[in-house]
């Protein structure tokens, strides 16, 4: 009905009238009136309704034409499923159920979908255990310059983990998490991204930040919670964050970064940026509801986001066999309509190639991608964990010696004559000196003042925070022995 004259009009006349109408509000009101009041509209097939909606959107007199062309609003890809109608033209309507997402054939057979495929999904690999390229493998070429940086960053990450872990054991920092056994995942994935891509880490991705230019001194400042720490000492050690490097601050809460990454990716899409978001998560994180919500959110909005799962076998002390009965994580993508791949996480070239291809698809095709990287957490979950209590030491040692991703990549570099024993010695000595120096400097810097605990949330601190600060200062004065003496009041 025409809301002004209360006169019944047909769909064609309705469309013509809307094109002459004055405001977007009236257009959408009119569309609602049509869908709610005209019985003929309900009788239209889904395809015709979709075509009408697309035509309607195309002719809206909106000042910003980009809105109309956005793949989020009336994008042909959002109705891709209607292609199934073309494939089902020979099917009698009585033998198929027509749904908004397309036709579904009926079958007289009682048959359940199998809970598991006959074979497990394959794992993409480029290098064998000895660092030799598999002859039939297809991969993205890596230049000598990039390969050398990848390897030296892996060495630096490995050395940093060793020294900072020892510093925690000495009581110099309170907490630490290593990436031992997962260096290729960190560095190779980072190398395949661009600086404009937004990183949503979990807590084992320090190597991604290292690749992007975060200095050893900046790592040390954060772990020692001094005044130079960007978080002003208010985060646990290893909870890094850097606006400059598009690296969102680590959160202890498991998997909350996943839906956040989808939101960021959607904003990149709306702004037509040549960039994507990437969210890292462990196998334990896929057991959280946020993982499933994020995949569905990303698929529906067609957001350019990469979900990178480090399936390292253990969620602290919980093995993957106690987390899910599916074929790992990669198969979960299909259930939500997300393109997926499984990759050898200890093969730097495979990880680099997979992320490089995923980034291209995510941006060019405006779609989410799920990557499952199979690896093994050689180190303990954190400095608060003793993994020998729940897994055999022999298993850990075997992975450390036989499947070390750093050693495998080094062998490939040596096969290309890009690396030598001399370069190895220089790289490890240089990394060790830099890290030890950074720790010494970080320990000299003052701690943030007590007042910084209450800043950066409100422009003017409310009364309850002022009261809390007052009570804290009084408590420190009454019990100075219970508080660090190097924290300025």
């Amino acid at each position: 009905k025409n809301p002004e004259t209360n006169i019944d009009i047909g769909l064609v006349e309705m469309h013509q009238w809307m094109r002459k109408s004055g405001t977007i509000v009236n257009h959408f009101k009119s569309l609602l009136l049509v869908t709610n009041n005209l019985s003929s509209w309900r009788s239209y097939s889904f395809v015709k309704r979709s075509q009408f909606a697309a035509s309607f959107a195309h002719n809206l007199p909106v000042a910003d034409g980009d809105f109309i062309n956005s793949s989020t609003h009336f994008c042909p890809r959002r109705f891709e499923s209607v292609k199934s109608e073309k494939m089902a033209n020979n099917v009698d309507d009585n033998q198929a159920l027509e749904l908004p997402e397309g036709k579904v054939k009926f079958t007289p057979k009682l048959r359940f979908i199998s809970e598991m495929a006959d074979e497990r999904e394959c794992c993409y690999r480029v290098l064998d255990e000895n660092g030799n390229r598999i002859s039939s493998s297809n991969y993205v070429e890596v230049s000598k310059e990039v390969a050398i940086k990848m390897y030296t960053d892996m060495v630096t990450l490995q050395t940093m983990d060793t020294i900072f872990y020892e510093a925690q054991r000495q009581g110099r920092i309170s907490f630490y998490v290593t990436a031992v056994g997962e260096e290729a995942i960190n560095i190779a994935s980072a190398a395949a991204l661009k600086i404009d891509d937004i990183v949503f880490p979990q807590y084992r991705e320090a190597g991604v930040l290292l690749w992007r230019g975060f200095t050893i001194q900046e790592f040390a400042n954060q772990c020692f919670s001094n005044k130079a720490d960007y978080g002003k000492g208010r985060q646990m050690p290893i909870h890094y964050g850097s606006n400059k490097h598009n690296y969102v601050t680590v959160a202890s809460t498991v998997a909350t970064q996943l839906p956040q990454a989808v939101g960021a990716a959607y904003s990149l899409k709306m702004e037509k940026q040549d960039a994507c978001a990437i969210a890292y998560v462990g196998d334990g994180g896929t057991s959280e509801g946020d993982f499933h919500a994020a995949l569905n959110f990303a698929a529906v909005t067609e957001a350019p986001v990469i979900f990178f799962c480090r399936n390292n076998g253990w969620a602290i002390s919980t093995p993957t066999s106690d987390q899910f009965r599916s074929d790992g994580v990669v198969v979960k993508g299909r259930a939500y309509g997300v393109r997926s791949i499984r990759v050898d996480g200890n093969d730097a070239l495979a990880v680099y190639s997979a992320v490089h291809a995923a980034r291209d698809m995510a941006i060019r095709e405006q779609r989410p991608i799920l990557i499952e990287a199979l690896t093994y957490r050689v180190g303990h979950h954190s400095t608060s964990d003793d993994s020998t209590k729940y897994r055999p030491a022999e298993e850990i040692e075997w992975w450390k010696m036989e499947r070390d991703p750093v050693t495998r990549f080094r062998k490939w570099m040596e096969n290309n004559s890009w690396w030598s024993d001399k370069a190895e010695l220089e790289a490890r000595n240089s990394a060790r000196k830099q890290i030890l120096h950074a720790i010494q400097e970080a320990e000299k810097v003052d701690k943030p003042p007590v007042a910084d605990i209450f800043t950066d949330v409100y422009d003017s601190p409310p009364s309850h925070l002022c009261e809390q600060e007052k009570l804290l200062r009084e408590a420190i004065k009454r019990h100075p022995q219970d508080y660090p003496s190097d924290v300025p009041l």
Side-chain angles (χ1 to χ4, degrees), residues 184-231:
I185 285 176
N186 269 253
I187 303 302
S189 65
L193 299 170
K194 303 296 183 183
I195 192 62
D196 289 335
D197 299 329
I198 305 174
V199 178
F200 287 79
Q202 188 167 17
Y203 42 66
R204 217 179 293 277
E205 285 78 37
V208 177
L209 195 50
L210 176 67
W211 175 271
R212 293 193 160 205
F214 204 69
T215 67
I216 300 299
Q217 190 63 62
E218 288 174 308
F219 281 112
N221 290 337
Q222 199 282 328
C223 288
F224 281 85
S225 301
N226 61 30
K227 285 178 65 175
D229 169 29
Y230 301 134

Side-chain angles (χ1 to χ4, degrees), residues 3-247:
E4 296 176 359
T5 62
N6 201 34
I7 298 175
D8 289 325
I9 53 177
L11 283 176
V12 175
E13 290 81 7
M14 175 69 184
H15 192 192
Q16 293 174 347
W17 173 76
M18 283 192 298
R19 292 181 63 180
K20 300 176 182 178
S21 184
T23 65
I24 292 179
V25 175
N26 284 337
H27 286 317
F28 280 99
K29 283 182 178 178
S30 301
L31 182 60
L32 289 173
L33 285 167
V34 171
T35 57
N36 287 329
N37 296 331
L38 292 180
S39 59
S40 59
W41 173 260
R42 298 191 185 95
S43 66
Y44 265 39
S45 70
F46 176 72
V47 178
K48 291 180 179 178
R49 278 181 274 152
S50 301
Q51 291 171 346
F52 175 79
S55 176
F56 159 77
H58 181 74
N59 290 286
L60 278 178
V62 184
D64 183 5
D66 289 342
F67 176 86
I68 298 304
N69 296 323
S70 168
S71 56
T72 308
H73 304 90
F74 305 106
C75 168
R77 272 195 56 216
R78 293 187 63 80
F79 302 105
E80 271 185 337
S81 55
V82 301
K83 294 177 182 177
S84 63
E85 292 209 13
K86 297 179 181 178
M87 300 170 61
N89 281 339
N90 297 326
V91 179
D92 191 289
D93 286 343
N94 293 325
Q95 296 178 351
L97 181 64
E98 185 176 354
L99 296 170
E101 61 268 25
K103 284 188 177 180
V104 178
K105 294 181 181 179
F106 288 118
T107 177
K109 298 179 180 179
L110 178 63
R111 182 176 62 87
F112 290 88
I113 297 174
S114 175
E115 72 281 2
M116 189 73 73
D118 294 335
E119 295 183 5
R120 300 195 67 181
E121 287 294 327
C122 296
C123 181
Y124 170 62
R125 168 187 271 195
V126 176
L127 300 178
D128 64 19
E129 303 295 345
N130 296 314
N132 298 313
R133 187 176 73 82
I134 299 170
S135 58
S136 58
S137 64
N138 60 321
Y139 70 104
V140 179
E141 294 285 347
V142 178
S143 68
K144 178 180 179 179
E145 180 183 12
V146 171
I148 290 175
K149 176 169 168 51
M150 285 172 63
Y151 184 73
T152 54
D153 276 4
M154 281 194 275
V155 167
T156 300
L157 177 61
Q158 201 174 60
T159 307
M160 184 171 74
D161 279 349
T162 300
I163 295 176
F164 276 103
Y165 189 90
E166 293 171 352
Q168 193 280 335
R169 288 296 187 245
Q170 295 168 359
R172 298 163 79 177
I173 59 177
S174 61
F175 181 78
Y176 196 72
V177 169
T178 68
V180 181
E182 301 176 37
E183 294 89 352
I185 285 176
N186 269 253
I187 303 302
S189 65
L193 299 170
K194 303 296 183 183
I195 192 62
D196 289 335
D197 299 329
I198 305 174
V199 178
F200 287 79
Q202 188 167 17
Y203 42 66
R204 217 179 293 277
E205 285 78 37
V208 177
L209 195 50
L210 176 67
W211 175 271
R212 293 193 160 205
F214 204 69
T215 67
I216 300 299
Q217 190 63 62
E218 288 174 308
F219 281 112
N221 290 337
Q222 199 282 328
C223 288
F224 281 85
S225 301
N226 61 30
K227 285 178 65 175
D229 169 29
Y230 301 134
K232 298 185 178 181
R234 295 178 293 207
Q235 285 272 21
M236 291 171 61
I238 67 89
H239 286 55
Y240 313 110
S242 174
N243 289 335
K244 175 183 177 182
H245 300 97
N246 277 329
Y247 190 93

Side-chain angles (χ1 to χ4, degrees), residues 401-461:
M401 300 304 296
E402 299 296 327
R403 293 197 169 177
D404 176 38
V406 181
T407 300
R408 190 192 301 189
F409 194 63
R410 177 187 173 181
K411 290 178 180 178
W412 178 76
M413 295 269 289
E414 291 173 338
N415 291 339
N416 288 338
S417 300
W418 291 351
W419 201 249
S420 63
D421 290 341
K422 180 182 178 182
E424 179 76 12
L425 183 63
E426 291 176 352
R428 292 193 177 273
N429 286 340
S430 175
R432 184 172 180 81
K433 288 179 181 178
Q434 288 182 60
I435 295 163
L436 291 174
H437 176 73
I439 288 177
Q440 293 172 356
E441 292 300 311
E443 287 183 312
K444 295 177 184 177
V445 180
D446 293 338
K447 301 294 184 184
V450 168
D452 279 0
I453 298 175
F454 305 94
T455 59
D456 300 328
V457 176
Y458 299 95
D459 182 35
S460 298

Side-chain angles (χ1 to χ4, degrees), residues 71-73 75-81 101 258-259 261-263 265-266 269 277 290-307 331-340 361-362 365-370:
S71 56
T72 308
H73 304 90
C75 168
R77 272 195 56 216
R78 293 187 63 80
F79 302 105
E80 271 185 337
S81 55
E101 61 268 25
L258 301 180
V262 180
Y266 188 59
K269 173 180 179 176
D290 279 345
F291 172 80
H292 302 275
L295 259 66
N296 191 58
F297 181 21
V300 171
T301 59
E302 297 173 336
V305 57
I306 301 171
F307 298 104
V331 295
K332 300 180 190 297
R334 180 175 295 169
Y336 294 103
V338 175
R339 189 174 294 172
S340 310
M361 286 187 291
E365 301 180 25
Q366 294 293 285
R367 67 166 66 246
I369 307 290
L370 171 63

